[in-house]
Amino acid sequence: MSSESAQQTYNKLDLLKLMYTSREGDRREGVLLRQSKGWFHVGGMGHESLAAIGTLMDRDDYLFGYYRDRAIMLAKGLTNQQLARAYFAKRDSSSGGRQMPGHYSSRELNIWSVCTPTGGGLLPACGAAWAMKLEGKQNCVVGSIGDASCRQGEFYEAVALAVERQLPIVFVVEDNRYGISSLTDHVNPFRMGIFADEIGTVMLDARHPDRVFEAAGPALEKARAGGGPTILHCELDRLCDHTSSDDQRVYRSEEEIAEMFTHDPIDLLAADLIEAGEITADEWENTKQEIDAQVDRDYLEAQEFEDPRPEEVLDHLLGPPPTPEPPPIEGGRKWRIVDALNATFRHGLETSDRYVFFGQDIEDPKGGVFGLTKGLSATFPERVFNSPLAEATICGVAVGMACYGMRPLFELQFVDFVGAGWNQISQNLATVRWRSFDDWPCPAVIYAPYGAYLPGGSLWHSQANESLFAHVPGLRVVIPSTPEDCAGLMWTAMHADDPTIFLIPKHRFRQQLDVPAELPAVPFGKAAVRREGNDVTLVTWGNCVELAYEAADCLAAECLIEVIDLRTIVPWDRETVAASLAKTGRLVVVQEDAESCSAGQMIITEMTGNQESWESFLSAPQLVSRADVHIGFNPIYEYAALPSTDDVIAAVRRTMED
């Protein structure tokens, strides 16, 4: 949209009505809450002037807002009644009743589902902006944030990436000088002078929508024209409590509150229009009464909509699993895991331009620290990129790019470093489909080398931590152990419409392993029976498959062990394990992860908690696991912590004693 066409949409009287509609909606929700008709309210009073930004946005522009953006949302196209339904948490609302009020979302209008963690939407916003740029779209992204959130590390990462990649994004910092009750003047990086003018920061008094419009118009046009990002630092006033759980009179004086209301943006714009003769004071009063009545009707109607259905609470955690296809590697020969994955990645890049790779050191000539992407950036330089040393950036950009419609395959150099990206994985990647009631699928793959049994890794290169991911609803967690399964499950994940955490056992990376001639498709949630046996069921995955083979060989004269390679932790194959247990009556689970709250404990609990499988047990199930301890640098420490073949043998023998 050109500046000229945008100017035609900027009707000040219409904008004033919209701003007042936003204000009256806030006021109405406050009244309803006091009447015990609702549970929570977060207001945008004083921020209504930012609606001018919404008038500048195209339908195809994306908005990553935050919870004070009620007026911008109305300007982008949401209706007041839609917001009313969200207040009452109705089934027919943007989240199906799963999000708090103020957490706006609309796939149709490209309004991404607001997340509560402050600043958590900006890295996904950068992901969407980068996807736009890769597609050559002449659109832009607006990402907003409160001033207190500017001290979040993810804010700096988002700005740095936007500048580095010259992304079509406008950051809107809504500075009302308070983070709940804390005055932010002395901690706000813009007031501290940390941000230089070279990165395109525009400081403005945003209490009047004219100034917002004049500043935002060039910023959006700059983004659409390929000129890169702009930060709009907007000074505003929060004319309400932080939320309905707050009372600003506790920490603000009556004089300060009264002074704020002297530059209420609605009053300022109304006074201008009355002075210009575009509306009289009486007409404005009549207009407000009409809006009041309409807002009242909106909430009365919204109150009658259907409530959420309890039986739907599990719906939309994940979409339907993909129909798996055979992996794109040649069978009947030896493969290494690293080569099988590389071949799968290459085939994906050759067959679809929606696949994008991003990770530390993954470009050539290195091709990743383990060579997983060797040769890919040389052939596909427009879709294989080195990332900064910033795991939150990797994970957050994956979220936004996937929600936009691309299929990111992003690498964490080691899964041990996931902590820096955990906010994005647990709060956005895993939740966005569920919290938007199926509006925002997120088809991203986060893959990482995983595990120990390679001396010298120490604490931060040796973790097996699948239980962390398995505990978060909305993620599929995959740990294959063979080249064909790595290729097959990666190919399945690359066609899924939900996020997959793909953990690759490092100890087996470069082993030359025979791959069968026939390579069937590998679905999620289907274990592989590696060896048949009638005496003991041994369930394992990843690096520990080797221990299972060794134990089965050593005990062949004593018992026949059925070795089950689980392959996926979420979902896991209960049926295959239960069927084997029914045959053997004995269960041993072997894992590399720490014992407490682990996947191994989960499997044993579910097997013993089910009446049918409980009756199959002839002896107590056994868990062979790493102790609840870290991996030390000296190999003595490493192997003292990890399960060994002898540990597995001892566990199997214990099950045979009863």
Side-chain angles (χ1 to χ4, degrees), residues 7-201:
Q7 187 69 37
Q8 294 171 358
T9 70
Y10 186 58
N11 182 298
K12 293 187 181 183
L13 181 56
D14 287 344
L15 183 62
L16 177 62
K17 293 176 182 178
L18 184 147
M19 291 167 61
Y20 184 79
T21 300
S22 178
R23 176 70 60 85
E24 177 59 17
D26 269 333
R27 192 193 70 81
R28 182 69 50 168
E29 291 184 9
V31 171
L32 287 164
L33 194 68
R34 289 190 292 274
Q35 296 173 343
S36 297
K37 297 179 179 179
W39 302 276
F40 184 77
H41 171 61
V42 55
M45 295 173 66
H47 290 230
E48 293 92 351
S49 56
L50 299 181
I53 297 172
T55 68
L56 289 157
M57 297 183 72
D58 288 349
R59 176 61 70 94
D60 291 338
D61 294 336
Y62 274 61
L63 176 57
F64 286 70
Y66 99 118
Y67 47 74
R68 298 213 194 281
D69 285 341
R70 184 186 190 99
I72 304 179
M73 299 297 165
L74 291 172
K76 187 74 166 72
L78 286 177
T79 68
N80 186 67
Q81 210 221 51
Q82 286 175 308
L83 301 185
R85 279 180 254 152
Y87 170 76
F88 288 116
K90 294 298 184 179
R91 184 176 183 273
D92 188 12
S93 66
S94 60
S95 74
R98 293 172 172 182
Q99 287 257 65
M100 302 167 82
H103 292 66
Y104 319 99
S105 177
S106 172
R107 186 64 191 251
E108 179 186 2
L109 298 173
N110 294 325
I111 298 171
W112 192 72
S113 173
V114 173
C115 60
T116 293
T118 53
L122 292 189
L123 285 171
C126 287
W130 194 6
M132 284 180 183
K133 184 172 181 177
L134 291 174
E135 286 193 337
K137 293 286 185 67
Q138 299 301 304
N139 290 105
C140 67
V141 173
V142 172
S144 63
I145 188 174
D147 56 295
S149 303
C150 291
R151 290 298 295 268
Q152 290 280 324
E154 290 187 7
F155 171 69
Y156 293 88
E157 291 191 33
V159 172
L161 184 72
V163 173
E164 173 203 343
R165 296 283 171 184
Q166 287 294 282
L167 300 180
I169 188 170
V170 177
F171 298 105
V172 180
V173 177
E174 302 180 28
D175 183 0
N176 57 41
R177 302 180 60 230
Y178 277 88
I180 307 183
S181 66
S182 302
L183 192 65
T184 60
D185 288 355
H186 66 295
V187 298
N188 184 321
F190 295 94
R191 297 185 186 275
M192 295 165 67
I194 290 176
F195 281 88
D197 291 340
E198 286 78 3
I199 65 174
T201 301

Side-chain angles (χ1 to χ4, degrees), residues 260-272:
M260 285 193 305
F261 277 92
T262 64
H263 30 81
D264 183 325
I266 293 175
D267 291 345
L268 293 177
L269 182 56
D272 283 356

Side-chain angles (χ1 to χ4, degrees), residues 456-471:
S458 189
L459 280 76
W460 291 289
H461 302 83
S462 306
Q463 288 188 50
N465 51 6
E466 64 268 16
S467 59
L468 295 178
F469 302 102
H471 189 70

